[in-house]
Amino acid sequence: MNIYFCGSIRGGRQDAALYHDMIAFLKQYGDVLTEHVGDPKLTEQGGDGTAESIWLRDTAWLRQSNIVIAECSTPSLGVGYELAFAEAIGKPVHVFYGKNDGRLSAMLAGDPHFGIHLYQTPDELFAALKCVMEEA
């Protein structure tokens, strides 16, 4: 299974450790195409490449993916774009969001295509993630 993981890069890296742990968990179920999102060395500047090359790479990975998993506690324009792109090409999308981190965008919360998974603790997050991946 090819898994596309979304998490904030330029929108802020405060959840990078959580992304790393989620990606490690997801690797039990398949290949995480965007493993770099969980790299603690990745800064808000992003990785190497031009904006166009990153767009080409990431949209190709989205097309190759079987499922899209997003952690959206830190708002990110790029993640929002990835989720809309994934929906447009018919990929299943699951959004995970920490209840204590503010409000989730209504554009995500109100979209019936997205599975929205609210959590308060890491245990709740990983239990929900396990359920999603076992049903995929």
Side-chain angles (χ1 to χ4, degrees), residues 58-69:
D58 290 3
T59 56
W61 281 341
L62 280 162
R63 286 183 188 93
Q64 294 170 18
S65 69
N66 300 104
I67 190 169
V68 176
I69 302 293

Side-chain angles (χ1 to χ4, degrees), residues 88-122:
I89 61 172
K91 301 298 177 173
V93 176
H94 291 272
V95 174
F96 294 83
Y97 178 71
K99 290 180 183 177
N100 296 326
D101 293 326
R103 294 176 293 196
L104 183 62
S105 167
M107 292 301 291
L108 299 182
D111 189 331
H113 181 79
F114 299 154
I116 303 295
H117 308 275
L118 303 175
Y119 66 90
Q120 289 185 343
T121 67

Side-chain angles (χ1 to χ4, degrees), residues 67-96:
I67 190 169
V68 176
I69 302 293
E71 207 302 321
C72 291
S73 298
T74 298
S76 166
L77 291 171
V79 170
Y81 182 91
E82 290 167 323
L83 298 180
F85 190 95
E87 179 179 11
I89 61 172
K91 301 298 177 173
V93 176
H94 291 272
V95 174
F96 294 83

